[in-house]
Amino acid sequence: DTAQWYMWQRELQHSVDQAAYAGAWALAREESESLYKTRAEQEFDANQSKTKTFASEPNIRIADYAGGTDNSVVVDATASRVLPFSSFLTGGAATISATAQASFAEGYDFNACLVSLKETGTGTTIGGNATVKAQCGIAALSCGADAISISGSANVSTDSIVACGTINANGNNDAIVEGVSGLEDIYADLTPPTNDTNRSYNCSGKGKNKQASLLPGTYSSIVVKCATTLSSGIYVIDGGLLDLAANYNVTGSGVMFVLRNGAQIKLGGNGNGNRISLTPMSAADFVGTAYESDADKLSDILVFEERDNNPSGDHVMNGNSNSLIEGLIYLPSGNLRINGTADVSAQCLQISAKTIDIRGNAFLETLCPTDDTTSVGKSTPDVKLVG
């Protein structure tokens, strides 16, 4: 009889262990949390054999654990049966009980407005006396050492610094989350739009009245040489340079720049005498076009680099205090360098590039709400058997 009691106890304990574990995993995921009791019952039943016909139904409940609130699942059950010899001595059935408790913590959704897409080595470098204010988060997909490196006298203010690899954050330890597997480029499967109408950049007029009014289409280059206004639409830069760094005002509302065949960009002004004002297209701008099905994903992308663009040099952002650059700068095959003289403030500027390099006395501030920024993935839920 004693041997049978031990056998019952082992099977019953294994059953409640697996039930608690399954219930906790279900609660750790939003899509399955309402099914936690069902999942616990399924695992309990699946591990029953010898005690199946005389075990009780499992009692499943949510409980507090280690100072948390409703962060664990407790499962208990009993098995009761009369055996010939022991019942002769006790006058009744023997009852075996077992209890298990599993804690859980949901995976955390990570968003970021500064994202490096390189999967090895260092993706984001912030050094020198650079100042970066991006409460909306910094992320690196790299699983290498120093995936994000913040060094020197750099001053970084953010709520989250997350990477697949390790992070050297220069005192921002409270914001660090390392070793997060599954970070992703949510735009990786998105095809950039195009406009194949051939265009060229030309200034008209004389002196201070010299200006250029551009229409959407494909340009070999756009190198600003006078005050320039861009009509709403898609501007393809095919193999040349998008250079807005000259000391002229540039205005474009509802525009997208697509880079292909090695095209490079220089954004921002070289002095405070000019103003760069660029805002991206909205979802409504794609309605009625061939890209309507991807309108929500394409909206708010200011610069979209084709994945095989492979520029020979870095993309550059200068910027000055008069610049207004909004939207997402997406450079999956290029490196973005933000120069030491850059002074960029924006309501919601986002950067996703192969690598991001911010050095010198550069100042970069973006005020994006975290919920409006790029999703980069979710950490794995934490589930463990604790009792």
Side-chain angles (χ1 to χ4, degrees):
D1 287 8
T2 303
Q4 290 192 67
W5 295 340
Y6 274 110
M7 179 184 66
W8 298 351
Q9 200 281 330
R10 289 187 63 181
E11 181 173 283
L12 198 63
Q13 187 63 58
H14 183 67
S15 298
V16 296
D17 284 352
Q18 294 304 304
Y21 203 60
W25 270 110
L27 283 167
R29 294 184 170 94
E30 183 178 354
E31 63 270 21
S32 61
E33 60 184 354
S34 63
L35 302 174
Y36 82 95
K37 282 192 174 181
T38 300
R39 288 293 299 118
E41 290 168 352
Q42 288 173 338
E43 284 301 309
F44 181 84
D45 293 341
N47 286 281
Q48 285 284 287
S49 178
K50 299 298 183 182
T51 60
K52 185 175 183 178
T53 58
F54 56 92
S56 69
E57 292 295 321
N59 176 34
I60 304 162
R61 64 187 187 278
I62 298 175
D64 299 343
Y65 172 73
T69 302
D70 292 341
N71 62 337
S72 73
V73 176
V74 177
V75 181
D76 56 63
T78 61
S80 183
R81 189 176 187 184
V82 174
L83 294 178
F85 182 73
S86 56
S87 64
F88 176 78
L89 297 175
T90 64
T95 299
I96 302 298
S97 62
T99 301
Q101 184 176 18
S103 68
F104 65 91
E106 295 182 7
Y108 185 80
D109 289 311
F110 292 104
N111 286 41
C113 49
L114 299 179
V115 183
S116 56
L117 306 173
K118 183 181 178 183
E119 296 183 352
T120 59
T122 299
T124 299
T125 301
I126 305 173
N129 295 309
T131 297
V132 176
K133 296 182 178 180
Q135 300 302 136
C136 40
I138 300 171
L141 272 55
S142 171
C143 294
D146 288 348
I148 298 174
S149 177
I150 303 172
S151 59
S153 298
N155 180 14
V156 176
S157 177
T158 186
D159 287 342
S160 173
I161 305 175
V162 59
C164 175
T166 62
I167 299 169
N168 173 14
N170 192 24
N172 289 269
N173 296 332
D174 291 343
I176 290 176
V177 185
E178 298 178 316
V180 179
S181 60
L183 296 181
E184 61 178 343
D185 173 7
I186 64 169
Y187 300 102
D189 296 325
L190 187 62
T191 301
T194 190
N195 184 326
D196 295 328
T197 303
N198 289 322
R199 306 282 191 190
S200 60
Y201 179 89
N202 293 295
C203 296
S204 60
K206 296 181 179 181
K208 293 182 178 180
N209 295 322
K210 199 173 184 181
Q211 60 182 7
S213 298
L214 305 187
L215 296 173
T218 297
Y219 293 76
S220 59
S221 287
I222 297 178
V223 179
V224 170
K225 297 178 181 178
C226 60
T228 301
T229 301
L230 299 96
S231 298
S232 177
I234 297 164
Y235 292 78
V236 178
I237 310 302
D238 191 356
L241 186 63
L242 173 64
D243 187 348
L244 310 183
N247 198 24
Y248 298 101
N249 292 340
V250 179
T251 303
S253 177
V255 298
M256 177 188 288
F257 299 103
V258 176
L259 310 180
R260 65 169 57 144
N261 295 326
Q264 291 176 251
I265 58 171
K266 288 185 178 180
L267 291 180
N270 285 330
N272 288 325
N274 67 322
R275 176 177 173 83
I276 309 297
S277 179
L278 298 173
T279 59
M281 299 173 70
S282 67
D285 293 324
F286 294 99
V287 173
T289 73
Y291 310 104
E292 183 172 355
S293 61
D294 289 324
D296 288 337
K297 291 183 178 180
L298 291 169
S299 66
D300 297 327
I301 300 179
L302 180 67
V303 179
F304 196 148
E305 179 181 48
E306 293 188 351
R307 286 169 186 82
D308 59 355
N309 184 51
N310 299 320
S312 58
D314 292 342
H315 300 297
V316 175
M317 177 178 284
N318 292 315
N320 58 44
S321 58
N322 287 331
S323 295
L324 174 66
I325 301 173
E326 303 287 343
L328 171 65
I329 297 174
Y330 180 61
L331 306 169
S333 72
N335 307 310
L336 178 64
R337 175 165 47 90
I338 299 179
N339 280 336
T341 56
D343 185 352
V344 182
S345 296
Q347 190 65 34
C348 191
L349 171 66
Q350 300 187 67
I351 297 170
S352 290
K354 182 179 179 181
T355 66
I356 300 172
D357 189 355
I358 307 172
R359 293 182 180 271
N361 295 310
F363 177 88
L364 174 64
E365 180 178 33
T366 178
L367 303 176
C368 281
T370 302
D371 292 344
D372 293 341
T373 55
T374 302
S375 171
V376 292
K378 186 172 185 175
S379 62
T380 303
D382 181 27
V383 176
K384 55 187 176 183
L385 202 62
V386 295

